[in-house]
Amino acid sequence: MHKSEQLKDFETLRLQPGSDSKQHKPFRFFNSAECLSGNPILYRRRDFFKVSLLKGEYIVHYGDESIKAFGCSLSFFSPWVPYTITQLKEEENAGYMIFTELYYNTYFNQTIRQSPLFDNESKPIFLLDKNQVEEVKAIFSKIERQEQSDYPFKDDLIRNHLNELIHYANTLHPATERHHALSSKERLHSIFHELLNRQFPVDVSRHKHLRTASDFAENLNVHVNYLNRILKEITGKSTSEILYERLLRESIILLKHTNWSISEIAYSLGFKDSSHFNHFFRRQANVTPS
């Protein structure tokens, strides 16, 4: 069974180097400057809650549905439903916060699971008008100020503000516009390509782990045979064929436009060594990398 992403894993992926002194806390507020870009947002379950305030145009793949969000949107994600976000046009990222269930439940008599916001009947994604945006931003600002303060009881205040935000969301109407252009198969195809695209451009200092069809299937939380069947149906190509074509294209770009050695290119693309890379390249391009 595919392992859920844990809070500490998410922090390690998202925090800028040098921020480790704030890692592994049950609550974290992230603003745009603290987030690493270029890391894949995996379609999977997490073991924490996430609240996001975004402005722009997005498709939120939430469970078995895709919901188009435009303008300013407030979204709540729980550990029980896998999700990812396809960015169509980003205008502003006001930030987001993540927290554990225990962080909330240790303060309130009612557990967060009892909130109507997470009853699994509705999708907790809300499109905000101008006045609602200002109210939500004000709550976000209060949470961020407390998170950065030295006040010894700041977590009590944060939880109160967080509870205020949850209750405020309960008074709103969830977004109902479904993105009908995407079937469940097309959605899987779209998420696969988003995950693939986020592997590039490569960094010679960071080894790529998502190389095989099984790697992608595991991260998409589906069986590799199902992923192959859907991609073959939509594109006429297997998962491996798509990966090989993309790896070849990226290989040629790196060979032409960087001064990296063949060994460095091989490593950055996820090959065990240059001999494996040479064999792959020769088989795909009928010439050697050199």
Side-chain angles (χ1 to χ4, degrees):
M1 192 175 194
H2 182 47
K3 184 181 178 183
S4 294
E5 182 181 14
Q6 297 182 348
L7 181 67
K8 62 180 181 180
D9 300 326
F10 184 90
E11 289 177 326
T12 301
L13 179 67
R14 295 295 173 189
L15 285 177
Q16 294 280 18
S19 301
D20 54 351
S21 62
K22 300 179 72 176
Q23 285 188 31
H24 311 331
K25 296 172 60 179
F27 178 91
R28 279 283 302 159
F29 188 98
F30 290 81
N31 56 41
S32 304
E34 289 183 298
C35 303
L36 290 171
S37 61
N39 293 310
I41 299 176
L42 307 179
Y43 189 70
R44 60 191 292 188
R45 290 177 174 84
R46 279 79 170 177
D47 74 341
F48 51 86
F49 291 83
K50 180 179 180 181
V51 185
S52 298
L53 180 60
L54 300 172
K55 186 178 181 181
E57 190 172 350
Y58 302 85
I59 298 175
V60 182
H61 308 288
Y62 186 85
D64 60 352
E65 290 193 63
S66 291
I67 300 172
K68 191 171 184 180
F70 52 90
C72 196
S73 61
L74 174 66
S75 301
F76 294 79
F77 301 108
S78 77
W80 315 302
V81 182
Y83 68 89
T84 191
I85 300 174
T86 299
Q87 174 184 314
L88 302 179
K89 181 182 178 182
E90 184 178 41
E91 297 178 14
E92 180 183 356
N93 185 336
Y96 59 89
M97 63 196 81
I98 59 175
F99 58 94
T100 63
E101 184 174 3
L102 185 62
Y103 179 80
Y104 182 94
N105 289 351
T106 53
Y107 188 75
F108 298 103
N109 291 328
Q110 177 176 306
T111 68
I112 197 168
R113 290 173 182 256
Q114 294 175 288
S115 170
L117 205 59
F118 304 108
D119 62 5
N120 293 327
E121 294 298 323
S122 60
K123 310 302 179 194
I125 301 164
F126 307 92
L127 302 182
L128 308 178
D129 61 29
K130 185 176 180 180
N131 292 332
Q132 292 167 340
V133 168
E134 294 307 314
E135 290 191 58
V136 171
K137 279 188 173 181
I139 300 175
F140 265 67
S141 295
K142 288 189 288 187
I143 291 174
E144 183 176 15
R145 283 197 302 271
Q146 289 302 325
E147 203 270 343
Q148 295 175 350
S149 77
D150 295 325
Y151 179 54
F153 303 106
K154 65 180 182 180
D155 284 311
D156 292 346
L157 282 175
I158 289 173
R159 282 184 283 249
N160 276 323
H161 296 321
L162 181 59
N163 203 42
E164 178 187 2
L165 187 61
I166 290 174
H167 282 287
Y168 181 75
N170 281 330
T171 69
L172 304 176
H173 297 291
T176 56
E177 181 183 348
R178 302 296 188 262
H179 193 65
H180 296 291
L182 290 179
S183 67
S184 59
K185 295 178 180 179
E186 291 169 330
R187 183 162 59 250
L188 179 63
H189 170 255
S190 174
I191 298 170
F192 164 79
H193 276 283
E194 178 192 356
L195 187 54
L196 176 60
N197 290 334
R198 287 175 180 266
Q199 303 302 301
F200 306 101
V202 299
D203 182 348
V204 72
S205 65
R206 187 157 61 96
H207 192 265
K208 294 295 174 185
H209 297 293
L210 299 180
R211 274 198 62 240
T212 68
S214 295
D215 291 336
F216 280 87
E218 181 180 3
N219 277 270
L220 291 166
N221 210 25
V222 298
H223 194 280
V224 65
N225 292 343
Y226 180 73
L227 179 62
N228 274 324
R229 186 167 70 252
I230 297 305
L231 294 180
K232 189 81 172 180
E233 182 179 322
I234 294 177
T235 69
K237 300 174 183 177
S238 69
T239 312
S240 295
E241 287 173 328
I242 296 172
L243 295 179
Y244 292 162
E245 287 181 0
R246 185 59 182 269
L247 280 173
L248 178 63
R249 186 162 75 248
E250 295 298 329
S251 299
I252 293 172
I253 290 172
L254 294 173
L255 288 165
K256 283 187 173 183
H257 301 291
T258 73
N259 59 359
W260 296 358
S261 68
I262 290 177
S263 294
E264 288 173 325
I265 292 174
Y267 182 79
S268 69
L269 290 172
F271 291 88
K272 293 180 180 179
D273 50 49
S274 57
S275 63
H276 283 84
F277 175 64
N278 284 332
H279 177 72
F280 161 81
F281 196 93
R282 191 184 305 112
R283 189 174 67 246
Q284 297 295 317
N286 296 318
V287 294
T288 64
S290 57

